[in-house]
Amino acid sequence: MSETTQLTSQYSAQVASDLERNLKEQEDLSGEIEALQARLASVQHDHAVLVNLQQALGVPAPAAAPAAESAASVPAARKKTAGTSGPAKKSAAPRKRSGKKAAAKASVTTSASPTLVDLVREHLTGQSEPRSAAEITTALEQLHPERTVKTTVVRTTLEGLVAKSQAQRTKQGKSVYYTAPDTAAPADSGEQSV
């Protein structure tokens, strides 16, 4: 009887550990999905701006149809994330109906609210010392209470900026801190000369 109880206890502990690991992985994947959706929205905004420029120059825009199709599929994915379902549903319908007007409206709407990448980059350049992803998230939540900002998404965004050399990462023990590339170099050289 005691062997059965011990074996049951071991299995219970293993299952609990596996469940915890699974939940963590789900959270990580959700954060990555949100970051990719934000990146996709940014790329679609850039596309709309480029289409507007192309139309202003009088050049026909054959690549507008695929953008409208992909834009129509984005709101369906956004319905799953909290805080973005309202605007995503409203912006999807006009894009299907009229490409030129919707592209112009989308560029005006999106330019009024900057992307998370822009907000993070701007915040980093305004800082004189390294900041963690959690600190940046807190600051962005205070500056933009109308937006839902998650630490996992900010961390993924920061890592994307590091990959593009638009931010620098430093580690202190287990903590990771980020700075704008221009602010890190002068701070280091200033410390060496003192």
Side-chain angles (χ1 to χ4, degrees):
M1 278 273 194
S2 66
E3 288 181 26
T4 305
T5 306
Q6 188 178 20
L7 190 59
T8 303
S9 175
Q10 288 176 349
Y11 280 135
S12 295
Q14 182 64 40
V15 167
S17 172
D18 289 347
L19 277 171
E20 186 177 327
R21 205 171 323 126
N22 182 284
L23 286 173
K24 170 121 177 62
E25 187 175 359
Q26 287 181 39
E27 289 175 2
D28 292 345
L29 289 172
S30 293
E32 290 176 24
I33 288 169
E34 289 176 10
L36 287 173
Q37 287 176 338
R39 186 172 164 203
L40 176 61
S42 174
V43 170
Q44 287 175 333
H45 169 259
D46 292 347
H47 181 268
V49 170
L50 291 171
V51 167
N52 285 341
L53 288 173
Q54 192 175 40
Q55 290 171 350
L57 294 172
V59 179
E69 291 172 11
S70 65
S73 66
V74 173
R78 288 185 183 163
K79 288 178 187 175
K80 297 177 186 174
T81 59
T84 59
S85 60
K89 288 179 186 175
K90 292 177 185 174
S91 65
R95 284 187 190 156
K96 284 183 180 179
R97 291 183 198 142
S98 61
K100 292 180 184 180
K101 290 180 184 177
K105 186 175 180 180
S107 66
V108 169
T109 304
T110 310
S111 64
S113 79
T115 65
L116 182 63
V117 175
D118 294 336
L119 292 175
V120 170
R121 189 183 308 120
E122 182 179 315
H123 180 75
L124 281 179
T125 55
Q127 300 303 309
S128 59
E129 55 186 45
R131 300 282 183 209
S132 69
E135 291 171 327
I136 294 169
T137 302
T138 303
L140 291 177
E141 285 174 338
Q142 291 173 353
L143 291 170
H144 303 280
E146 73 282 359
R147 295 182 76 131
T148 302
V149 182
K150 294 189 177 184
T151 305
T152 53
V153 179
V154 170
R155 186 176 298 114
T156 305
T157 302
L158 286 162
E159 289 301 323
L161 290 172
V162 169
K164 296 177 185 175
S165 300
Q166 295 177 0
Q168 291 182 339
R169 174 185 350 137
T170 56
K171 291 185 180 180
Q172 296 176 2
K174 291 184 178 181
S175 301
V176 179
Y177 296 95
Y178 300 90
T179 57
D182 297 335
T183 60
D188 291 341
S189 62
E191 291 176 69
Q192 291 172 356
S193 63
V194 171

